[in-house]
Amino acid sequence: MLLLTPGPTAVPENIRVAMSEPTIHHRTPEFSEIFRQTREKLKKIFKMDEVLMLASSGTGAMEASVLNLCQKKALSINAGKFGERFGKIVKACGYELVELKYEWDTPANVEDVLKALKKHKDIDTICVQICESAGGLRHPVEAIAKEVKKINPEITIIADGITAVGVEDINVEDIDVLISGSQKAFMLPPGLSMIGLSKNAINKIEQGGKGYYFNLNTELKKQRQNTTAWTAPTTLIIGLNAILDDIFSIGLDKFYKQTELRSKASNEALKGIGFKIYPKVPAPSMSAVYHEKADEIRKILKNRYEVNIAGGQDHLKGKLFRINHMGLIKPYETSWVLNALELILDELGERKYDGTANKIFNLYTKERF
Ligand SMILES: *Cc1c(COP(=O)(O)O)cnc(C)c1O
């Protein structure tokens, strides 16, 4: 079965092998050295002053970031399940919430954010997804962050980059906290989250730190010494260290370029056979397609073509399918899915099969992979 859901993603064989070694103790010079190497490599991908690794899924890093960095009131952008989650976290941490809601296909805009800041002068934190995975939507996070910082550089920008870090070269100039998780672009099993921090965020954490398990001040002190506050997810970190080597041996630019091409070629191929790309601004991490028979399509894809892709949630349940582009995916894997989708359209009586999907995919990806 080909796993092409936008998280979890398939774990490459060499990484599974790297993680199959006997468990080593986390308080040893051997593990500290692995931790140090991983930190250095992560800093290069995040392009930020500090990185932290936590034993949690991505949501844990979202909660840790909000808990430690928000002071009183947060503005959260909600254009899908993960934006909604940020709002719930803000409230669960006991902070005030101002929420900007959008349709799941519609990116946030800078003016709305600035208007909200004018109305609520005490907003100290902004929470936003770079890619809102619920609809495969790209928010203009960099533009929002830039304008917000012009008004008040003290406002903390928390960006959920769980389906953006390792996908594209994010401009982190005005981002304070950048969140990522192991099971998306990093191609690892779930259970490890990562947080990139700006100087501004580091200062705030050093002067504060809240909570116990997720106290980022405690973690920062420990991780600077190449250890963790609590038992580290050693196996996942060993896997991360190994996958980062693979990514760097390809070259970051080429890695991002391949993802972008795969994504663009897929969207063009899907449009070419009559599918509707759901988001108004698609993120490169996935192709999200709106179709009334999305679940039937997914079922045939799984049973006959052995491909597992994701569906939609809430009001998009049964009406959306999402194909992953994150990580190291062979062109022939994506090509297989696109061809299968074209065959399924024929089977459903919607469009006669003529190989258009792969023709377009190949045209866009020719000589470039
Ligand atoms: C997957 C994902 C998360 C994190 O979910 P977990 O299940 O907690 O790892 C958060 N935000 C976005 C945008 C995601 O795609």
Side-chain angles (χ1 to χ4, degrees), residues 158-351:
I158 302 179
D160 168 358
I162 297 180
T163 45
V165 179
V167 174
E168 53 177 309
D169 192 12
I170 303 157
N171 178 358
V172 294
E173 214 172 310
D174 300 301
I175 292 173
D176 294 299
V177 181
L178 181 60
I179 299 164
S180 185
S182 54
Q183 82 275 27
K184 309 270 168 102
F186 291 105
M187 299 163 268
L188 296 168
L192 176 71
S193 66
M194 295 142 257
I195 307 177
L197 300 169
S198 70
K199 284 202 176 71
N200 184 25
I202 295 167
N203 284 339
K204 283 180 182 154
I205 290 168
E206 281 174 339
Q207 286 159 27
K210 283 183 198 141
Y212 186 75
Y213 183 78
F214 281 141
N215 190 310
L216 296 185
N217 196 11
T218 315
E219 281 301 342
L220 192 57
K221 282 179 193 149
K222 290 287 181 187
Q223 298 198 15
R224 279 174 163 160
Q225 298 162 39
N226 299 316
T227 187
T228 49
W230 327 118
T231 305
T234 46
T235 306
L236 287 169
I237 292 170
I238 287 166
L240 179 59
N241 196 29
I243 195 77
L244 289 172
D245 279 342
D246 289 352
I247 292 172
F248 284 120
S249 77
I250 293 166
L252 261 185
D253 285 347
K254 194 170 170 196
F255 181 57
Y256 294 143
K257 191 79 201 154
Q258 284 175 347
T259 305
E260 188 193 329
L261 267 178
R262 200 161 49 236
S263 184
K264 197 168 174 200
S266 298
N267 286 349
E268 291 303 323
L270 289 162
K271 285 192 273 181
I273 53 172
F275 279 118
K276 183 188 180 302
I277 300 297
Y278 176 71
K280 286 178 187 155
V281 181
S285 56
M286 68 191 78
S287 289
V289 171
Y290 186 91
H291 195 285
E292 289 295 330
K293 291 182 181 165
D295 273 2
E296 196 179 339
I297 291 171
R298 286 206 302 135
K299 202 182 275 170
I300 303 173
L301 202 54
K302 188 169 180 185
N303 294 337
R304 184 142 354 118
Y305 299 96
E306 295 188 52
V307 185
N308 195 355
I309 61 171
Q313 294 162 289
D314 290 3
H315 61 288
L316 291 178
K317 200 168 164 50
K319 301 202 165 135
L320 197 77
F321 64 78
R322 293 174 296 148
I323 307 165
N324 174 51
H325 300 307
M326 295 177 281
L328 294 162
I329 301 169
K330 296 286 181 204
Y332 57 77
E333 294 176 320
T334 306
S335 161
W336 168 257
V337 183
L338 295 168
N339 189 56
L341 285 168
E342 189 178 342
L343 286 164
I344 293 169
L345 281 186
D346 193 337
E347 184 178 336
L348 294 175
E350 288 197 19
R351 187 187 176 279

Side-chain angles (χ1 to χ4, degrees), residues 47-90:
K47 300 181 295 179
M48 295 183 83
D49 293 288
E50 265 300 344
V51 284
L52 296 173
M53 287 173 259
L54 303 176
S56 76
S57 84
T59 307
M62 290 167 76
E63 176 162 345
S65 303
V66 170
L67 179 69
N68 283 267
L69 284 143
C70 185
Q71 311 292 320
K72 179 171 180 278
K73 190 185 271 190
L75 171 71
S76 176
I77 286 158
N78 175 357
K81 274 313 236 194
F82 297 102
E84 177 188 83
R85 188 174 298 178
F86 251 148
K88 287 180 176 171
I89 290 171
V90 168

Side-chain angles (χ1 to χ4, degrees), residues 2-19:
L2 197 54
L3 181 65
L4 275 181
T5 54
T9 57
V11 185
E13 188 180 2
N14 67 311
I15 305 304
R16 297 198 303 271
V17 170
M19 293 189 298

Side-chain angles (χ1 to χ4, degrees), residues 26-58:
H26 57 288
R27 307 283 182 212
T28 53
E30 293 86 342
F31 183 69
S32 271
E33 176 53 21
I34 292 168
F35 195 83
R36 184 192 66 76
Q37 291 173 11
T38 312
R39 259 169 70 72
E40 290 312 309
K41 291 171 202 169
L42 272 183
K43 279 185 192 168
K44 278 194 211 151
I45 284 212
F46 276 77
K47 300 181 295 179
M48 295 183 83
D49 293 288
E50 265 300 344
V51 284
L52 296 173
M53 287 173 259
L54 303 176
S56 76
S57 84

